[in-house]
Amino acid sequence: MAVRQALRRAGGRLLATQGAMAPAALGVAGRGLSTSAEPITLEIPVPFKGHNVEPPSRTVETSAQELTEFFRTMFVMRRMEIAADSLYKSKFIRGFCHLYDGQEAVCVGMEAALNDKDCIITAYRDHCTHLGRGGTVLEVFAELMGRKDGCSLGKGGSMHMYNKKGGFYGGNGIVGAQTPLGAGLAFAQKYLKVEGVTLAMYGDGAANQGQLFEAMNISALWDLPVLYVCENNHYGMGTAEWRSAKSPEYYKRGDYVPGLKVDGMDCLAVKQAVKFAKEYALKNGPMVLEMDTYRYHGHSMSDPGSTYRTRDEISGVRQERDPIERIRKLLLSHEIATVAELKTIEKEAKKEVEDALAKAKESPSPDSEELFSHIYRKSYGAQAYGADRKEVVVTLP
Amino acid sequence: MLGVFRHQANGARLIVSKFLGQGKGGCSVRRPFVHASPLSRGMADVAVVADKMNVRDALNSALDEELTRDPLVYVMGEEVGQYQGAYKITKGLLEKYGIERVRDTPITEMGFTGIGVGSAFYGLKPVVEFMSINFAMQAIDHVINSAAKMLYMSGGKISVPIVFRGPNGAAAGVGAQHSQCFAAWYGSCPGLKVLMPYDAEEARGLLKAAIRDPDPCIFLENELLYGVEYPMSAASKDKDFTLPIGQAKIMREGKDVTIVTFSRQVEIALKAADILAKDGISAEIINLRSIRPLDRPCINNSVRKTSRLVTLEEGWPQHGVGCEIIATICDESFFYLDAPPERICGADVPMPYAVNLEALAVPTMDDIIRIVKRCCHRGRAAA
């Protein structure tokens, strides 16, 4: 089922309501698994850091239902990315493939504080973000393999996944470009008086791009409801943050734009920060959110990820800060789920991913006609040519 | 944040860095880590010129020799140093020449290209690498407005001895934003020199020529050719080997039709010529090497001999390189033509990702053969 629907039900409205949802409705199996919507109050372990803004409280309200859904969703995302790794190595996926495993808490925590009036735009590490916005694992796999059932009909590839209805604008291959684009989405939201914000996501590598600062300046001048979300995984391809940024305190880089530094490996911290920032942005304009996160894979599938960082560092983060393990510990310590119940969830998630993969493999390649579709929305009868312009002339649809 | 070079006992250099924590409860990675230079792992050595080289090593050897020859030359770009180059073109150079001459940059094309051009105004000779020429669009204002036009605008006072280089055009499955060919756009710009090597020897000779050239050169490589090996002539191994800018090469002589192409399509055209020969069509293949300045005499002399012209490129058709070639022939050799010129180009679409669609978007061997035959009035008549 659509990941985001479940999260929305479990997330955004939960703090307001007290009613428990029938566990069966969420498809979460397990006798005795508590899926109550009763509020649980937790303290976020790592404090926020504010720049020109008083950070939100570290006390966050969640529920058994929400935590379970966090766990399940992140687990699906993790399995999906790992499956993509194998697919790439078996040459089902070509070109570039940038995996998100390790960073799941950012997009999952965000979704818990957002709704369908909000927009997200990100760069090329977008498979899980796409899922969070209502995409399905099937359409991600199919897109990665260049098949008809892909979210972009197979024409985009790994870096180009979109879902306009779900408020997801990609999926962008040119690092940094998505930030003024995100400010533009926020501009439109404000113009049309939509009570929503845009999250323009970028990495520590893109954080030095000039266009980001141009976008920040304008969005601050015009009070645009945009959140600049820096997913700081500490390495821009092979370059560590201290080698590319004079100031790697990205939450401060907005200068006159206030900022918050957040433990990006903690879903609840991310949710709290985004909820806080969204309220701020709807009233006052932009804010920067720096998510301190980590990617286990290299930059892309052609980067082993170990020439510029040690394996000890990678396994250290996995042991101490893995976002899925953190939620697992919470679920167990609050007796929301038993070890066996979590295993069941994991099994189901694995099956969901495997089934989607099998179906995606059956999806055919796009028809040849798709070569010339979607050049224009309105083509005025213009013609386009193939490599042999006398043999292949098409009046654009 | 500290970054310190320390020499190991075996002479290799370790780059030690520390992530300073953000204080108690800090989130960022805190343990100090040692970043071993790949040289200490035996990974990175500058290429040695040999009888057979791949394009990557040929480019590497050219950069190495020019860095040695002229202390004003330096290399700049993303991941060119410690990472050894995104495509390993610059491997071993940081270890050999140090950080003053091999500069890793942040992901800020507009910024570092501007910096490169500015340093060239002053007299340095930068070689700016774009990880993909597609990313150069972020910096194209500096390539055109700051570099190409400067000598003219300054009345001859300020020349810009800079080289911009990187992989250009379609690769394999890299999608719409990473597959555009920029030969035509850059080729239209006065003040710029636009070079597109095909094999390893050309890559080496043309890059060396570009680095020694006093004008801004944009050097468009092809990612799919980086790993391909080619024989190197004895002359090409010399450290002063250069190839002339603005001169095309006749790869194969023929008498029935002239095929003008460049970069990777040269290889495909040569194979097509073999097949056409079996059908009695003798194709002359011209490898442009230089999009700007264009070797008009070479092209015209060839067409005057064969009286038929087919242009071949991977980029988009409208206002493409083929258009200028056909216009040149019309200007100077129209009455030598026995058939309308044909141009073979990439399809008029953003590059699709799906493998079957991508294959339809780039010229194939079959296209070349069919179109050449059509031009020679063999096969099906034109629509």
Side-chain angles (χ1 to χ4, degrees):
Chain A
M1 71 169 164
V3 156
R4 191 165 142 254
Q5 281 176 313
L7 271 177
R8 253 192 299 132
R9 272 184 267 142
R13 283 174 250 252
L14 252 181
L15 293 175
T17 65
Q18 298 257 322
M21 288 187 72
L26 290 175
V28 176
R31 278 166 283 126
L33 173 65
S34 169
T35 51
S36 141
E38 286 287 309
I40 300 172
T41 307
L42 294 171
E43 281 291 294
I44 293 167
V46 175
F48 297 109
K49 285 181 155 191
H51 166 73
N52 291 347
V53 71
E54 198 50 45
S57 152
R58 283 163 71 178
T59 308
V60 65
E61 264 197 7
T62 178
S63 70
Q65 192 183 73
E66 179 171 71
L67 291 173
T68 308
E69 206 41 51
F70 281 167
F71 181 82
R72 208 197 72 86
T73 308
M74 288 197 289
F75 200 83
V76 168
M77 289 176 173
R78 180 69 58 92
R79 298 304 313 173
M80 180 179 78
E81 295 295 77
I82 291 176
D85 174 299
S86 304
L87 281 178
Y88 192 91
K89 288 175 176 148
S90 350
K91 302 203 191 296
F92 280 94
I93 302 177
R94 308 153 64 232
F96 298 131
C97 186
H98 309 87
L99 299 177
Y100 198 75
D101 51 312
Q103 298 184 211
E104 299 88 350
V106 176
C107 67
V108 167
M110 273 168 35
E111 291 296 344
L114 300 175
N115 59 37
D116 53 14
K117 292 211 183 77
D118 301 309
C119 298
I120 299 181
I121 189 168
T122 187
Y124 46 74
R125 204 175 298 280
D126 60 344
H127 308 161
C128 299
T129 325
H130 179 76
L131 218 57
R133 289 266 91 191
T136 65
V137 181
L138 167 62
E139 69 188 9
V140 169
F141 280 144
E143 187 60 36
L144 290 174
M145 295 194 283
R147 309 291 177 93
K148 205 176 217 182
D149 292 311
C151 51
S152 302
L153 310 179
K155 289 159 67 161
S158 163
M159 299 181 285
H160 304 294
M161 299 191 176
Y162 307 86
N163 176 3
K164 185 165 181 181
K165 280 214 207 76
F168 182 53
Y169 289 82
N172 291 281
I174 308 299
V175 147
Q178 73 276 17
T179 52
L181 295 174
L185 293 168
F187 177 83
Q189 286 171 311
K190 183 163 178 165
Y191 190 101
L192 295 170
K193 300 191 174 30
V194 169
E195 273 289 292
V197 296
T198 294
L199 277 72
M201 305 178 71
Y202 58 101
D204 47 291
N208 304 302
Q209 279 263 317
Q211 54 189 324
L212 169 60
F213 297 95
E214 294 185 25
M216 281 190 193
N217 180 51
I218 297 180
S219 49
L221 268 175
W222 296 349
D223 294 328
L224 301 181
V226 54
L227 300 179
Y228 293 102
V229 180
C230 178
E231 289 185 283
N232 181 9
N233 61 21
H234 306 284
Y235 299 92
M237 195 160 160
T239 303
E241 61 188 338
W242 59 270
R243 288 183 64 228
S244 64
K246 181 69 180 171
S247 166
E249 295 192 287
Y250 301 105
Y251 71 108
K252 291 185 182 171
R253 296 276 293 273
D255 184 11
Y256 42 82
V257 174
L260 211 56
K261 180 159 174 168
V262 184
D263 179 3
M265 305 298 258
D266 181 352
C267 274
L268 293 170
V270 173
K271 171 187 157 185
Q272 183 84 323
V274 173
K275 177 170 176 286
F276 170 78
K278 175 174 169 172
E279 272 172 42
Y280 177 93
L282 284 171
K283 285 202 285 282
N284 305 312
M287 183 182 285
V288 179
L289 296 177
E290 179 186 339
M291 305 289 181
D292 185 342
T293 183
Y294 200 84
R295 54 166 163 81
Y296 297 141
H297 269 87
H299 161 74
S300 71
M301 288 304 299
S302 45
D303 170 30
S306 52
T307 60
Y308 47 86
R309 50 184 196 172
T310 60
R311 293 185 208 279
D312 281 346
E313 177 186 293
I314 305 168
S315 55
V317 174
R318 211 188 265 276
Q319 264 166 19
E320 291 175 31
R321 297 178 65 207
D322 184 86
I324 300 176
E325 293 314 303
R326 178 193 296 267
I327 301 291
R328 186 197 303 277
K329 287 189 190 109
L330 280 175
L331 289 170
L332 293 172
S333 66
H334 282 79
E335 292 176 352
I336 298 169
T338 63
V339 170
E341 280 154 357
L342 291 181
K343 276 252 165 317
T344 307
I345 296 179
E346 289 179 14
K347 250 181 75 181
E348 284 172 0
K350 274 189 208 165
K351 182 157 191 315
E352 182 185 325
V353 170
E354 277 161 13
D355 287 349
L357 180 52
K359 231 173 143 213
K361 280 185 173 165
E362 284 168 28
S363 174
S365 288
D367 300 324
S368 304
E369 290 74 48
E370 294 293 353
L371 183 66
F372 291 106
S373 62
H374 314 116
I375 308 277
Y376 293 121
R377 192 63 95 192
K378 195 166 184 188
S379 65
Y380 300 107
Q383 292 192 318
Y385 301 90
D388 182 346
R389 61 192 295 110
K390 303 259 164 47
E391 294 267 313
V392 183
V393 189
V394 163
T395 303
L396 291 177
Chain B
M1 310 289 174
L2 303 174
V4 172
F5 283 96
R6 258 204 246 132
H7 286 265
Q8 271 188 319
N10 64 4
R13 277 153 51 172
L14 281 179
I15 300 153
V16 176
S17 70
K18 248 192 200 161
F19 272 116
L20 298 175
Q22 300 294 317
K24 248 196 305 201
C27 316
S28 46
V29 178
R30 269 192 285 161
R31 59 184 65 70
F33 75 100
V34 166
H35 175 170
S37 156
L39 190 59
S40 66
R41 299 199 222 160
M43 248 175 67
D45 286 309
V46 173
V48 171
V49 183
D51 288 330
K52 278 182 86 165
M53 293 181 88
N54 62 29
V55 173
R56 171 182 293 124
D57 288 343
L59 292 167
N60 185 264
S61 70
L63 289 168
D64 176 34
E65 286 169 8
E66 296 308 301
L67 281 163
T68 297
R69 176 181 179 267
D70 188 345
L72 297 174
V73 174
Y74 73 96
V75 172
M76 179 161 70
E78 294 158 10
E79 311 295 354
V80 295
Q82 281 189 20
Y83 195 82
Q84 307 296 306
Y87 295 102
K88 306 293 179 262
I89 309 297
T90 52
K91 73 172 160 36
L93 295 180
L94 173 64
E95 282 73 22
K96 187 166 174 179
Y97 296 98
I99 61 168
E100 283 294 301
R101 304 191 64 206
V102 181
R103 291 271 175 176
D104 278 323
T105 64
I107 306 176
T108 49
E109 277 77 3
M110 184 72 139
F112 69 71
T113 304
I115 289 173
V117 175
S119 73
F121 288 168
Y122 199 83
L124 298 187
K125 297 183 186 175
V127 180
V128 174
E129 174 174 306
F130 294 117
M131 197 182 284
S132 163
I133 296 288
N134 290 268
F135 305 160
M137 272 207 284
Q138 286 206 337
I140 203 168
D141 179 62
H142 283 306
V143 175
I144 308 298
N145 275 328
S146 305
K149 298 177 185 174
M150 181 49 100
L151 186 66
Y152 188 88
M153 293 189 297
S154 66
K157 290 206 174 67
I158 300 181
S159 64
V160 193
I162 191 168
V163 174
F164 307 101
R165 50 159 292 272
N168 169 69
V174 293
Q177 291 179 336
H178 290 75
S179 305
Q180 191 173 331
C181 176
F182 291 86
W185 285 16
Y186 289 122
S188 71
C189 185
L192 207 54
K193 289 174 177 161
V194 183
L195 301 172
M196 290 187 76
Y198 153 55
D199 63 18
E201 180 160 329
E202 279 172 35
R204 190 174 138 74
L206 288 174
L207 184 56
K208 286 163 77 67
I211 293 172
R212 297 181 190 199
D213 192 277
D215 295 313
C217 294
I218 187 149
F219 194 83
L220 304 176
E221 301 157 6
N222 187 294
E223 193 222 310
L224 298 175
L225 293 179
Y226 280 152
V228 182
E229 257 192 5
Y230 296 94
M232 306 289 284
S233 68
S236 73
K237 296 192 218 164
D238 188 85
K239 63 175 171 51
D240 286 318
F241 169 70
T242 58
L243 284 171
I245 291 175
Q247 284 188 27
K249 180 180 178 188
I250 298 180
M251 305 296 288
R252 179 192 174 113
E253 288 197 7
K255 51 183 186 49
D256 294 327
V257 58
T258 299
I259 302 177
V260 184
T261 186
F262 47 92
S263 188
R264 187 169 156 262
Q265 288 294 327
V266 170
E267 193 145 297
I268 301 172
L270 286 169
K271 293 196 180 114
D274 284 337
I275 296 175
L276 288 163
K278 298 200 183 94
D279 263 325
I281 296 179
S282 157
E284 179 149 296
I285 314 281
I286 297 182
N287 169 9
L288 283 179
R289 289 179 167 180
S290 188
I291 305 294
R292 187 178 187 103
L294 197 58
D295 192 344
R296 297 175 206 273
C298 179
I299 302 168
N300 277 284
N301 289 339
S302 174
V303 173
R304 288 177 183 210
K305 183 175 74 169
T306 64
S307 59
R308 288 184 167 86
L309 170 68
V310 174
T311 69
L312 171 60
E313 66 198 289
E314 291 186 350
W316 291 326
Q318 190 162 339
H319 310 298
V321 176
C323 300
E324 177 63 26
I325 295 168
I326 293 174
T328 277
I329 296 298
C330 289
D331 283 341
E332 299 177 39
S333 310
F334 180 80
F335 295 103
Y336 291 82
L337 287 171
D338 282 347
E342 293 255 15
R343 57 188 156 124
I344 313 175
C345 311
D348 233 335
V349 301
M351 184 62 70
Y353 169 69
V355 66
N356 64 321
L357 297 183
E358 191 181 53
L360 293 172
V362 180
T364 61
M365 180 100 76
D366 284 348
D367 289 321
I368 301 172
I369 291 170
R370 180 189 335 111
I371 293 168
V372 170
K373 284 184 178 175
R374 188 166 67 211
C375 186
C376 297
H377 293 297
R378 313 267 288 270
R380 283 160 55 190

